[in-house]
Amino acid sequence: MTTNELGFVHRFEPATVPGRAPLLLLHGTGGDESDLIGLGRTVAPGAALLSPRGKVLEGGMPRFFRRLAEGVFDENDVRRRANELADFVAAARAEYGLAAPVALGFSNGANIAAATLLLRPEALAGAVLLRAMVPLAEPPAADLAGKPVLLLSGAMDPIVPDENAARLAAQLRKAGAAIEHRVLPAGHGLSQADINLARQWLDTASAVAA
Ligand code: MLT
């Protein structure tokens, strides 16, 4: 069901299996609230799914924050939008009676998830970041003590240089996150290995979060 309440167009699917952490699904550029529902069901069967649509439009394509060019972000907008997203998560948790969600973000969605971890750590129980890059060159000192984060990068990704993904991993590690960073033989698109690794990792992370 898609609704326009709580400040974001979004879909919500209640849990069918108790004890799993809810997933916050964050789509890539040009996606919408329906994009990652299938992926969410595959990697976390039975978990509640909360899936907002990014509010920024780039040539008609929804995104979660403004960019000036590919890989060049409007960091003021990143900050504003990450806070807006964290407020939405808080409102949705109250409305739907949810525990703190684990974010599952792809590309632009992974980047806003990383920014939300660094700016509003209380909003998320952890995150799976698929093809993420550094959203804030100089993030504030955040306390991510022990928060589980899985970062999956593509060795042949034309959008995210290796060095950039490694820098994001270092930022999150420095803030105390329990980060696992894997570089897969893939491009910017997802591979079966991403799905398998995300599923295995979420099985463990959900057990920790429950
Ligand atoms: C971004 O703009 O967040 C990244 O360049 C990835 C993308 O959405 O293409």
Side-chain angles (χ1 to χ4, degrees):
M1 173 199 69
T2 294
T3 142
N4 197 2
E5 282 161 20
L6 311 176
F8 273 80
V9 173
H10 68 279
R11 278 177 68 165
F12 174 68
E13 294 201 0
T16 55
V17 174
R20 286 208 79 124
L23 282 190
L24 176 69
L25 303 173
L26 299 166
H27 62 78
T29 301
D32 67 19
E33 67 281 7
S34 295
D35 253 43
L36 298 187
I37 296 282
L39 180 64
R41 286 190 190 129
T42 301
V43 298
L49 303 177
L50 178 64
S51 186
R53 184 193 303 176
K55 289 188 190 182
V56 171
L57 288 179
E58 181 186 279
M61 295 187 295
R63 291 175 48 83
F64 286 95
F65 57 82
R66 280 190 65 223
R67 65 179 164 183
L68 308 173
E70 192 168 278
V72 184
F73 302 148
D74 175 343
E75 293 202 12
N76 286 334
D77 199 55
V78 171
R79 288 171 195 272
R80 172 178 161 214
R81 301 292 178 177
N83 278 301
E84 199 176 54
L85 183 66
D87 291 344
F88 164 73
V89 169
R93 286 184 61 186
E95 176 72 19
Y96 301 124
L98 299 174
V102 173
L104 173 67
F106 169 63
S107 192
N108 181 246
N111 298 342
I112 194 73
T116 305
L117 278 171
L118 290 162
L119 293 166
R120 295 281 296 272
E122 81 289 353
L124 300 174
V128 178
L129 306 175
L130 304 168
R131 307 298 183 271
M133 57 194 297
V134 169
L136 295 166
E138 291 182 14
D143 181 5
L144 293 177
K147 254 186 227 293
V149 178
L150 176 64
L151 172 60
L152 297 180
S153 305
M156 284 90 74
D157 189 332
I159 295 175
V160 185
D162 289 353
E163 166 282 319
N164 190 299
R167 192 148 39 96
L168 174 59
Q171 284 182 349
L172 293 167
R173 191 173 294 115
K174 185 172 168 214
I179 179 151
E180 182 178 341
H181 182 199
R182 304 275 290 261
V183 182
L184 307 177
H188 197 66
L190 297 183
S191 66
Q192 188 61 41
D194 288 278
I195 295 168
N196 296 344
L197 287 167
R199 185 176 166 135
Q200 285 161 17
W201 185 90
L202 281 163
D203 278 346
T204 313
S206 272
V208 172

